[in-house]
């Protein structure tokens, strides 16, 4: 996909530069509005048609490329949000399943008078 995008951008860049250079060489620095300067009388039919076709190809090729990255970013953001929501739902379901099925454990000290025994060796009863 990257190779196709790079190739398309290089084609558009080449067309833009061709139009820009020919426009500057034709009209010099006195260009106000480039589109109004390209007339059939000033350029002749072959140059006029070449420039118009270059504008057509450039506009047709560059318009989808401008929106490709925006669409790609929006799609990526939606998929990331969907993934995070699914992870939260799975975590919540796992926590609920663990809390419902887990046995209750009561810890009793083995010797009530010995404090070391209370902390180190408790007896556990599952209820």
């Amino acid at each position: 996909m990257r190779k196709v995008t790079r190739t398309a951008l290089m084609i558009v860049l080449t067309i833009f530069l061709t139009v820009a250079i020919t426009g500057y060489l034709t009209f010099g620095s006195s260009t106000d509005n480039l589109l109004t300067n390209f007339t059939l009388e000033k350029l002749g039919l072959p140059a006029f048609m070449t420039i118009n076709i270059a504008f057509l190809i450039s506009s047709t090729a560059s318009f989808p490329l401008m929106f490709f990255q925006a669409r790609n970013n929006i799609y990526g953001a939606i998929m990331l949000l969907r993934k995070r929501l699914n992870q939260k739902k799975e975590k919540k379901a796992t926590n609920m399943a663990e809390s419902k099925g887990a046995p209750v454990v009561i810890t009793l000290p083995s010797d009530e008078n010995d404090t070391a025994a209370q902390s180190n060796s408790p007896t556990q009863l599952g209820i």
Side-chain angles (χ1 to χ4, degrees):
M1 184 58 89
R2 288 185 182 192
K3 186 176 181 180
V4 173
T5 304
R6 285 184 186 154
T7 304
L9 286 173
M10 291 307 293
I11 291 170
V12 169
L13 177 66
T14 304
I15 293 170
F16 274 21
L17 286 176
T18 304
V19 170
I21 290 169
T22 56
Y24 186 77
L25 292 175
T26 304
F27 303 108
S29 61
S30 64
T31 56
D32 292 331
N33 184 354
L34 191 63
L35 295 176
T36 58
N37 288 333
F38 289 123
T39 60
L40 185 58
E41 296 81 28
K42 289 183 181 179
L43 298 174
L45 186 61
F48 181 74
M49 290 304 292
T50 303
I51 291 171
N52 282 330
I53 290 171
F55 273 123
L56 174 70
I57 293 170
S58 170
S59 298
T60 304
S62 65
F63 186 77
L65 288 174
M66 288 186 272
F67 290 99
F68 173 75
Q69 192 61 36
R71 181 194 63 85
N72 219 12
N73 287 338
I74 291 169
Y75 180 75
I78 290 170
M79 290 298 114
L80 182 66
L81 287 173
R82 178 184 273 176
K83 183 179 176 182
R84 287 186 181 173
L85 287 174
N86 285 340
Q87 286 175 347
K88 285 183 181 180
K89 285 180 183 179
E90 288 174 3
K91 186 176 180 182
K92 186 176 181 181
T94 305
N95 288 342
M96 289 179 70
E98 287 175 356
S99 66
K100 288 182 180 178
V104 177
V105 177
I106 299 175
T107 305
L108 299 173
S110 60
D111 186 46
E112 293 181 10
N113 296 332
D114 188 8
T115 57
Q118 288 178 358
S119 61
N120 292 335
S121 61
T123 304
Q124 296 182 349
L125 299 173
I127 298 176

